[in-house]
Amino acid sequence: MTDIVPVRMPKLTMAAIEGTFIEWLVADGEHVNEEQPLYLVGTDKVETEVLSPATGVLRHGDAEPEAVYPIGAQLAVIDVECS
């Protein structure tokens, strides 16, 4: 069975209820290591790199540049069986 780890929109500030997806730093289907920068997100006050929650192969979801997503929304998955 394949293990899938979700990649979600993080809560960047205490008051944040959503964040803006800025861009992927890793291509779809590329191998990633845990804690490797995956993508950029921002709020009206902060822009930051989000680190990978696992080692495996990144499978992009439907996250579009400059789109706003609620905290916790799934942006992609990491297929850890492929690692």
Side-chain angles (χ1 to χ4, degrees):
M1 177 177 247
T2 302
D3 286 331
I4 299 293
V5 176
V7 174
R8 300 189 183 279
M9 176 61 73
K11 185 170 185 144
L12 299 177
T13 66
M14 291 297 290
I17 59 169
E18 61 189 15
T20 302
F21 177 83
I22 298 171
E23 71 176 321
W24 290 108
L25 302 175
V26 178
D28 186 41
E30 191 172 321
H31 179 82
V32 297
N33 293 311
E34 188 172 2
E35 298 192 12
Q36 174 182 341
L38 286 185
Y39 59 99
L40 293 175
V41 295
T43 67
D44 58 339
K45 298 180 184 210
V46 174
E47 184 176 302
T48 192
E49 292 180 341
V50 178
L51 305 181
S52 176
T55 297
V57 175
L58 180 66
R59 306 288 184 203
H60 287 189
D62 296 326
E64 296 289 330
E66 302 306 316
V68 176
Y69 295 95
I71 302 307
Q74 184 171 306
L75 304 174
V77 296
I78 296 174
D79 181 349
V80 297
E81 185 174 78
C82 292
S83 59

